[in-house]
Amino acid sequence: MSDLLMTLAKNPATAGIVKKLGLPNPVELARAEGGYQARPFAGKTVLLARSRNGYAADSLLASIEEAGAAPLEALQENSRERVDIVVMDATGCASPADCRALYDVFHPLMRRIARNGRVLIVAAPPDEAQDAVAAAAARGIEGFSRALGKELGKDGITVNLACVARDALDRLAGAVRFFCGVQATYVSGQVVRITAQVAAPAVLPFAAALKGKVALVTGSARGIGRATAYRLAQEGAQVVCLDVPGAADALHQACSEIGAIPLMMDISAPEAPHRLAEFFKEKFGGLDILVHNAGITRDRTLANMKEHYWDMVVNINFAAIAAIDEILLAEKVLREGARIVCLSSISGVAGNFGQTNYAFTKAALIGYVAAQAPKLASRGICINAIAPGFIETAMTDDMPFMMREAGRRMNSLKQGGKPRDAAELIAFLCTPGAYGISGATIRVCGQGLIGA
Ligand code: NAD
């Protein structure tokens, strides 16, 4: 469904009325069309700011240079030059006095970051701080970055925070490329922990990042799943698109566009896990990427919810995922270095009226990836969840008008996301370069106000 407010705000004939009524005027967000580039920052103005005693700046510098830019250390005071990407090493901020660096760096930049710009702050993990004050300072940076995202979001600028310990500095490059790249269009206000729990893959390609990989995306006849299948194929993966037999026509069409293989199956059928195991063993000898995207809503207040609505949502959104993983992991169909991504939801983060069943399953997935990650680390497998906010799909088209409109506007970017935006985050988590991130749930919600 199209965003009427955006259409009116962009039309010169109606833009004045939108302004007079004081309605939000959402900025046109930049989005990538193609796949990753080897040097995505080439031609961009990048600023790398350092805090005193920080330990991440050299790694950040190397990552930025490898991505094609020679970063500035400061902007010229009297110039009107805009900066596209700001990266700050705030790992040295261990006291209130040290944190003055946040003000000193960003205050002069507030009017100088370009539309659709990117901000990435890198801080020390609060739970590894030497003392309580250092832990508080590191935690304070979370509040700062989230507030900054709210101030800058009106210009389509995203602000994210990566917490990295010294032993995981070599894992920063992937995060820098994603969070400072055009692909982070709808990801803002997030705090991502980068750890050393998963060993580095043998090769770390940044362009054609998934060449040679076999990927399964469930529920990929439409919506986020379809966009994800498309995105993974763009990075060179051989994709298998799975959906229910009732969606066969749409599934075949999606597959023919990207050279994917269709697989008609209900993931909640008791035989689904074994069928999948046999399919991937026979056809490809294994599986590298598993995106658990298929999901349903059956909304009712709990008082009015029939038991089959509860059971159906729990079976598809949660039980089927656990059952499939159990077999694919036990039979080692999921290869060393595999990537698993589950689709959670803001409803799982914050709960939602009329969605006790759905919120239960989506919160369960947040707990599931956190618990599985350490168990799978020795096999080089990363497992994460993404929590979409309001993404324009058939699922959100079904919402009542007022709820849909509220969902679209209640975020820092004042608009809904596109399936491609969620697909970008999923694709990033599927790449070899995301090996520093496991057990996390990252929101793709334009920094939604709900559950923030
Ligand atoms: P959608 O309804 O547009 O597509 C879901 C797809 O899954 C459909 O093609 C459907 O046929 C398939 N599917 C459903 N049950 C299945 C089953 N038992 N076996 C196989 N396939 C099945 O949904 P969407 O909006 O693209 O959402 C995709 C995922 O993202 C879901 O898990 C959803 O809960 C989650 N999500 C979406 C949003 C949003 O704003 N759209 C927000 C938060 C979370």
Side-chain angles (χ1 to χ4, degrees):
M1 186 155 299
S2 72
D3 183 334
L4 181 64
L5 180 62
M6 270 195 91
T7 313
L8 295 175
K10 268 191 277 160
N11 183 338
T14 46
I17 304 171
V18 170
K19 204 171 170 194
K20 259 201 187 123
L21 290 172
L23 296 171
N25 183 2
V27 69
E28 185 102 26
L29 297 179
R31 292 186 165 90
E33 283 181 5
Y36 296 128
Q37 291 168 9
R39 292 165 59 80
F41 299 173
K44 306 252 178 218
T45 304
V46 183
L47 183 78
L48 174 59
R50 300 163 186 255
S51 61
R52 230 167 18 99
N53 302 325
Y55 54 76
D58 290 346
S59 304
L60 290 168
L61 176 63
S63 303
I64 294 166
E65 285 178 344
E66 203 191 10
L72 307 170
E73 299 247 323
L75 289 188
Q76 279 184 351
E77 255 177 49
N78 295 324
S79 99
R80 308 186 108 227
E81 185 184 13
R82 295 265 167 172
V83 56
D84 301 299
I85 298 169
V86 181
V87 180
M88 179 179 179
D89 171 16
T91 54
C93 292
S95 70
D98 294 338
C99 289
R100 175 67 196 264
L102 297 169
Y103 178 88
D104 293 341
V105 168
F106 284 100
H107 172 71
L109 284 176
M110 289 309 281
R111 291 188 180 89
R112 297 191 61 182
I113 303 176
R115 205 170 248 213
N116 283 303
R118 299 283 177 260
V119 175
L120 177 66
I121 302 175
V122 176
D127 55 356
E128 289 186 16
Q130 298 269 319
D131 55 54
V133 171
R139 183 66 177 75
I141 298 172
E142 269 190 51
F144 174 83
S145 65
R146 290 198 164 118
L148 193 66
K150 291 188 176 176
E151 293 188 17
L152 294 172
K154 64 178 185 330
D155 289 322
I157 298 163
T158 64
V159 180
N160 292 288
L161 172 65
C163 293
V164 63
R166 284 174 197 270
D167 64 352
L169 284 173
D170 57 323
R171 287 147 170 84
L172 269 174
V176 168
R177 280 177 182 253
F178 178 73
F179 290 105
C180 297
V182 65
Q183 292 81 10
T185 309
Y186 206 59
V187 180
S188 192
Q190 299 308 292
V191 180
V192 180
R193 181 73 193 267
I194 296 174
T195 73
Q197 60 182 323
V198 173
V203 278
L204 278 174
F206 285 119
L210 304 177
K211 202 164 169 227
K213 305 282 184 194
V214 176
L216 169 65
V217 184
T218 69
S220 42
R222 66 182 199 194
I224 295 172
R226 185 170 181 157
T228 301
Y230 186 88
R231 189 66 195 90
L232 299 182
Q234 264 186 334
E235 290 306 320
Q238 169 61 64
V239 182
V240 175
C241 291
L242 179 155
D243 215 296
V244 288
D249 287 350
L251 190 67
H252 279 106
Q253 205 202 322
C255 287
S256 69
E257 281 169 18
I258 56 169
I261 296 169
L263 193 58
M264 256 84 75
M265 191 185 290
D266 177 344
I267 55 160
S268 65
E271 67 280 9
H274 286 289
R275 261 187 76 193
L276 285 173
E278 289 314 308
F279 177 88
F280 283 100
K281 270 195 268 183
E282 271 175 30
K283 201 139 185 103
F284 301 106
L287 178 63
D288 303 292
I289 292 166
L290 173 50
V291 182
H292 287 299
N293 167 78
I296 59 163
T297 49
R298 289 295 180 273
D299 298 355
R300 288 284 184 280
T301 56
L302 190 56
N304 294 324
M305 191 181 294
K306 298 266 191 284
E307 60 185 317
H308 72 272
Y309 265 26
W310 176 271
D311 292 339
M312 204 174 164
V313 169
V314 172
N315 286 340
I316 293 172
N317 293 6
F318 175 20
I321 291 170
I324 289 169
D325 284 358
E326 190 184 344
I327 300 296
L328 297 190
L329 287 165
E331 297 191 7
K332 298 213 161 51
V333 177
L334 277 159
R335 290 192 259 250
E336 289 258 322
R339 300 282 183 264
I340 304 172
V341 179
C342 296
L343 270 284
S344 177
S345 166
I346 290 309
S347 184
V349 175
N352 199 14
F353 184 89
Q355 290 195 324
T356 47
N357 50 359
Y358 184 77
F360 164 70
T361 62
K362 296 299 181 180
L365 295 179
I366 297 173
Y368 177 70
V369 299
Q372 281 283 31
K375 298 199 173 98
L376 301 179
S378 63
R379 291 165 65 178
I381 299 176
C382 297
I383 178 166
N384 292 289
I386 73 151
F390 186 94
I391 307 290
E392 307 274 359
T393 67
M395 190 181 260
T396 45
D397 275 358
D398 282 347
M399 292 166 91
F401 175 80
M402 285 310 287
M403 270 181 75
R404 193 167 61 235
E405 211 30 42
R408 275 189 182 129
R409 305 297 158 221
M410 283 168 62
N411 59 73
S412 295
L413 305 173
K414 304 282 177 259
Q415 58 194 289
K418 298 265 162 72
R420 168 102 189 190
D421 304 336
E424 290 288 8
L425 178 57
I426 296 169
F428 162 59
L429 292 170
C430 292
T431 59
Y435 68 107
I437 304 173
S438 194
T441 296
I442 305 177
R443 295 167 56 152
V444 47
C445 60
Q447 197 178 22
L449 299 181
I450 299 164

